[in-house]
Amino acid sequence: MCSGGFAKCLGISLMPLAIVCVLCNILLFFPGGKSVDSQHITEQVWYFGGILGSGVLMIFPALVFLGLKNNDCCGCCGNESCGRRFAMLSSILFAAVGVVGAGYSVIVSAVAINHGPKCVVSINGTDKQWNTPFSDGDYLSNKTAWSTVCLEPAGVVSWHLSLFSVLLVIGIIQMALCAVQVVNGLLGCLCGDCCGGFDGG
């Protein structure tokens, strides 16, 4: 497979991943599947790791990768090979943007998983208030505390963990795919036609 065709495959893979990340981030605005006031939403959700990092910033590299195979740039002074080499070189910059965006999402997700969700907790056994009871990250192996400490919304801990875990995993996959395109772009730029980079498909 040529460098352009391989880049197109990467772009095809990145598009649905970006959409899933955007959807996950949107769902996080409804903790436990419930609609709550904005001040009761976990802080890390407002960092838009899935919408901005693994979503919007990933769409641009994906679109660039999709268009590389059919790039018909006339090149430098009519030299088509030169133009296509430049296109592969420019794809490295977009891949770097993708790595940064996905990395941002990974960091936000990791912090969110460590801090846990914001939920209703009992104070002195009678009063209730919204708080982040698992901010030290020791709740992951203590599932019994999920429902006994977080009283409302129901299932908010598993909701929080599941969605941020998806964002974390997808972010790592996106970083890996963009890193692969950096290598692919370098090969396509340096080797060009001699590596079969742009002939046929």
Side-chain angles (χ1 to χ4, degrees):
M1 178 183 295
C2 69
S3 298
F6 184 70
K8 182 177 181 179
C9 291
L10 293 179
I12 292 173
S13 301
L14 286 172
M15 289 296 287
L17 292 177
I19 294 172
V20 170
C21 287
V22 171
L23 292 177
C24 285
N25 203 145
I26 292 174
L27 290 174
L28 283 165
F29 283 100
F30 303 91
K34 309 293 183 182
S35 178
V36 299
D37 292 338
S38 59
Q39 65 266 28
H40 297 154
I41 296 174
T42 305
E43 179 182 358
Q44 288 75 30
V45 178
W46 293 102
Y47 295 164
F48 300 108
I51 295 176
L52 178 62
S54 288
V56 174
L57 288 180
M58 196 57 60
I59 294 294
F60 295 113
L63 292 176
V64 170
F65 300 165
L66 284 171
L68 284 177
K69 182 179 180 181
N70 298 322
N71 188 294
D72 58 357
C73 177
C74 63
C76 310
C77 300
N79 188 333
E80 185 177 4
S81 175
C82 176
R84 289 178 171 174
R85 285 173 189 262
F86 179 78
M88 292 303 293
L89 180 62
S90 65
S91 74
I92 298 174
L93 299 178
F94 284 94
V97 171
V99 170
V100 171
Y104 174 71
S105 179
V106 167
I107 293 172
V108 171
S109 300
V111 171
I113 291 173
N114 182 65
H115 284 190
K118 183 178 287 187
C119 59
V120 176
V121 298
S122 177
I123 305 298
N124 299 324
T126 54
D127 297 331
K128 295 181 179 180
Q129 71 177 28
W130 286 84
N131 205 340
T132 308
F134 305 122
S135 57
D136 52 3
D138 63 350
Y139 70 101
L140 295 176
S141 59
N142 185 13
K143 291 187 178 182
T144 57
W146 295 6
S147 57
T148 57
V149 176
C150 273
L151 305 179
E152 299 175 21
V156 65
V157 179
S158 57
W159 183 273
H160 177 92
L161 277 179
S162 298
L163 292 174
F164 271 116
S165 294
V166 170
L167 288 175
L168 179 68
V169 172
I170 291 181
I172 293 173
I173 294 173
Q174 289 176 326
M175 289 178 67
L177 292 177
C178 287
V180 168
Q181 176 54 28
V182 170
V183 177
N184 182 52
L186 283 173
L187 292 176
C189 177
L190 297 176
C191 298
D193 293 336
C194 68
C195 290
F198 299 101
D199 287 333

